[in-house]
Amino acid sequence: RKQDPRYCLIKMQTHVRGFLIRKKFYKKRKEIRIRAKRKLIPNGDVALQKLKLKDRTARAIETLKTSKRWSEILHAVKELEICTKYSLVCCKAVLGTGSHGVIVDVICSLNRSAPHIIVLESALKTLLQISNFLDLFSHMEVEFTKVLIDKIHFGTDKKVNFSALVLLERQIKHDKGNYVAGCADLMKRLRLIRDKRDKYFTPKSMHRLKYLIQKLESDQNVRMNSIL
């Protein structure tokens, strides 16, 4: 029967007609799906509005400023990491409300426990993503350099160390290396990290760190020669 030309023709006509009907009613079916989803979600448009990045950013910022519960802080930092990754408006909102200072305070309060490392990774990524869009470091205190070196010095997670190292590079570039090169203790700690803690860095991160130290030492020598 399948070899019968009439059967093949009817089968082909069936497929073509089905395709044309699906094409014709595609938009209507899409609208029906959207209406069905809104019925499943309580308060329809209000619930969908809350899922927008701008609203999620505002709620996360408010949580960081007011909450003292660790689970809420963790969730807020995660939300900011996601929002700043995809939206310039969210990055501007974080800087405009001064929430980057709150994120730095959170970073300073963290230790090396597993839950704290998760928050630290998200917080550093958030700042890193903001610096991709905007001039973050003109809003930062120069002491933020010391905070980053502290986290690199005592950090045991390679991803965290990489994010902190990239932020440190950008901070030093913004400051032109004046703060680190002028502080013997910070330069000593950077050399110690380079010599003793290579197992906590990927080869790429270690190469970046060595290049950064080399550049700082070169700038330091140039300043000393200019003074002499």
Side-chain angles (χ1 to χ4, degrees), residues 5 9 15 17 23 32 37 51 64 75 79-80 102 109 131 134 143 148:
L9 183 61
H15 285 296
R17 285 172 183 166
K23 184 178 179 182
I32 291 170
K37 284 183 179 179
L51 297 177
L64 278 182
H75 181 71
E79 284 282 277
L80 287 178
V102 181
S109 67
S131 68
L134 302 169
E143 286 77 12
L148 291 172

Side-chain angles (χ1 to χ4, degrees), residues 111-165:
N111 56 40
R112 289 184 286 177
S113 63
H116 283 228
I117 288 175
I118 295 171
V119 177
L120 178 60
E121 183 179 358
S122 294
L124 290 173
K125 280 185 178 179
T126 301
L127 294 178
L128 193 58
Q129 286 157 185
I130 294 172
S131 68
N132 289 336
F133 288 110
L134 302 169
D135 184 14
L136 169 68
F137 300 103
S138 61
H139 297 79
M140 288 291 194
E141 298 290 336
V142 73
E143 286 77 12
F144 181 56
T145 306
K146 187 177 179 182
V147 174
L148 291 172
I149 293 176
D150 282 340
K151 297 305 173 183
I152 295 172
H153 192 183
F154 298 108
T156 56
D157 186 271
K158 291 183 179 181
K159 290 182 180 179
V160 171
N161 284 342
F162 177 76
S163 298
L165 180 59

